Amino acid sequence: MARTTDRSTTHLTRRLVQLYVGLALYGASSALLVRAGLGLEPWGVLHQGLAELTGISIGVVSIIVGAVVLLLWIPLRQRPGLGTVSNVFVVGLAMDGTLAVVGDLDALGVRIPVMVLGIVLNGVATGLYIAARFGPGPRDGLMTGLNQITGRSIRLVRTAIEVAVVVTGFLLGGSLGAGTVLYALAIGPLAQLFLRLFALPEPSAPAVVVPSGEPSTPAPAASSGPVAAPTSGQAILPQ
């Protein structure tokens, strides 16, 4: 029993570490795309546009937008998890922290590799925090909620949301460019790759003792290996 408890505690600790490392890396990757100046991911375009309009730091704007999106979950009847609430704050704080450390970049020969690094790191971060299974991010929940309410496909809902976000952000002064296109093409395959890499099996169930005193074969875990297809309460990978 003690061994099973220790294993469960270790498993939970790993999930928590994976969650917060993933969220911190997500914020850092978004900051690298800002410094590269070659185009941001769709929500980053909106955040940057609002930051330009209000004079608030882009990380704080990200937190505010995340909180507003989370409020939209209420009529959509979505249930947040620890990862959902953490996503709102950790990503924005990590983003502002990275921007404070990484200064402006001028040379194109530096900005292009930083852009590529930011996109790859974003894929790593997405795989980490989704595989931790602590609930979807606020924007993912908005997407799944609208999918359930409207009956439209995930692909259509996600596309509609991101087109609206990009257009609004661009009109407000957000950065739209080659990085935005490359991100849209690469993030799905990258996230899927790293989701499989960082997938965590469920802790093994203890053996069941039968009346004869012989331990039976341990009950199979609820899930093992790669994460199964997400339900409405899990994050959905970019389509």
Side-chain angles (χ1 to χ4, degrees):
M1 180 66 69
R3 182 178 299 177
T4 301
T5 302
D6 290 344
R7 188 182 297 118
S8 298
T9 301
T10 300
H11 182 77
L12 177 60
T13 300
R14 180 178 171 183
R15 288 176 61 205
L16 286 168
V17 170
Q18 189 164 308
L19 169 67
Y20 288 107
V21 169
L23 293 177
L25 287 179
Y26 197 101
S29 68
S30 296
L32 291 178
L33 291 176
V34 171
R35 287 299 185 225
L38 296 172
L40 305 179
E41 73 278 17
W43 283 93
V45 177
L46 177 63
H47 298 157
Q48 188 180 52
L50 289 172
E52 293 286 340
L53 180 67
T54 63
I56 303 173
S57 74
I58 191 170
V60 173
V61 168
S62 173
I63 292 173
I64 294 172
V65 171
V68 170
V69 171
L70 194 54
L71 289 176
L72 295 177
W73 281 35
I74 297 174
L76 295 176
R77 298 182 181 179
Q78 297 292 291
R79 294 183 179 181
L82 174 64
T84 310
V85 178
S86 298
N87 185 299
V88 173
F89 297 99
V90 176
V91 171
L93 293 174
M95 193 173 184
D96 274 352
T98 303
L99 289 172
V101 174
V102 180
D104 293 331
L105 305 174
D106 296 321
L108 188 61
V110 175
R111 291 163 60 200
I112 292 176
V114 168
M115 175 192 69
V116 173
L117 176 60
I119 293 172
V120 173
L121 194 61
N122 194 279
V124 173
T126 301
L128 279 168
Y129 90 79
I130 290 180
R133 301 194 302 274
F134 277 109
R139 297 154 186 84
D140 288 325
L142 174 64
M143 176 182 61
T144 55
L146 288 174
N147 161 251
Q148 293 173 7
I149 293 296
T150 64
R152 302 294 184 180
S153 69
I154 286 290
R155 185 184 299 274
L156 179 60
V157 171
R158 185 182 184 95
T159 300
I161 290 174
E162 297 202 348
V163 167
V165 163
V166 167
V167 171
T168 302
F170 178 70
L171 293 176
L172 292 174
S175 177
L176 187 64
T180 309
V181 176
L182 183 58
Y183 180 93
L185 294 174
I187 192 59
L190 284 172
Q192 189 67 42
L193 169 64
F194 289 111
L195 177 59
R196 290 174 178 170
L197 182 63
F198 297 123
L200 296 172
E202 293 288 351
S204 299
V208 178
V209 179
V210 295
S212 64
E214 294 291 337
S216 67
T217 303
S223 174
S224 60
V227 177
T231 63
S232 60
Q234 295 177 302
I236 303 295
L237 288 177
Q239 300 295 308

